[in-house]
Amino acid sequence: QKRERLDFRVPPLASGGGDIKPGMALRLAARRFCSKPVPLGLDSPQAASMKAAVKNFMGEVSSFSPGKYFEEKYFWEKANVGPFFLLLFFTPSIYRSCKDFYWTQQLRKLNTEEIISDRYEWLRLNMIQDEVEEALLKQAPAGGVTPLELGPSSPP
């Protein structure tokens, strides 16, 4: 059995231009995926379709009427009720998430304020303690305080 050998070389151009060099293949592939150039001042087809879609969406949003939407016949036969029921179904979860987010932020702020307050309280108490020690050192006699001995210095 003879195995065929696969050839991964780039085939010649259809226009008879000869072999394609490696750099040229990349350039030709990039050109293939690029959009067609549009003269300045004119909209490309993609931009025009995007503008039309946005304008259509904004028209639908601005013409929304709750009275018409929730009218029974329109609601059950013509209206797109999917978003309404999704909102109705997920409202407890959305509410709980918003509430948790709010209280997490508030407690984080309170925790920061308490830490700062505790540090100021610690600093204030240490400053008072330093002042008391300084005043006591000024009242001490020049030779220092003689230690108080209870009983004899050596055993009998």
Side-chain angles (χ1 to χ4, degrees):
Q1 293 180 355
K2 191 176 181 182
R3 288 187 161 178
E4 284 188 34
R5 201 166 165 204
L6 296 175
D7 187 11
F8 292 107
R9 288 180 292 170
V10 179
L13 286 175
S15 62
D19 289 337
I20 296 178
K21 294 182 179 36
M24 292 175 62
L26 183 61
R27 182 178 58 86
L28 290 173
R31 281 188 66 194
R32 179 176 293 161
F33 290 114
C34 290
S35 62
K36 301 286 185 242
V38 178
L40 290 175
L42 297 178
D43 285 339
S44 66
Q46 293 91 355
S49 66
M50 183 65 74
K51 284 182 182 179
V54 169
K55 189 179 285 188
N56 185 20
F57 175 73
M58 293 305 291
E60 289 176 8
V61 168
S62 63
S63 68
F64 176 75
S65 169
K68 180 183 175 191
Y69 182 79
F70 288 108
E71 183 183 349
E72 186 174 0
K73 185 172 176 137
Y74 182 81
F75 185 79
W76 292 115
E77 293 178 6
K78 296 180 184 172
N80 181 10
V81 295
F84 173 73
F85 283 111
L86 285 176
L87 178 67
L88 197 64
F89 182 75
F90 286 112
T91 295
S93 177
I94 293 169
Y95 172 75
R96 193 174 310 116
S97 298
C98 291
K99 187 176 72 171
D100 289 347
F101 175 76
Y102 172 77
W103 283 113
T104 301
Q105 296 301 318
Q106 294 301 315
L107 291 176
R108 187 175 292 153
K109 190 188 317 180
L110 179 65
N111 191 22
T112 304
E113 290 172 357
E114 285 181 354
I115 289 172
I116 292 171
S117 174
D118 288 347
R119 288 180 181 171
Y120 276 118
E121 184 65 19
W122 175 86
L123 181 63
R124 189 181 70 81
L125 290 175
N126 279 339
M127 287 173 65
I128 291 172
Q129 185 177 357
D130 290 345
E131 289 176 6
V132 168
E133 287 176 359
E134 185 182 351
L136 287 175
L137 285 175
K138 286 181 183 175
Q139 293 176 359
V145 178
T146 55
L148 178 63
E149 291 183 10
L150 295 176
S153 295
S154 60

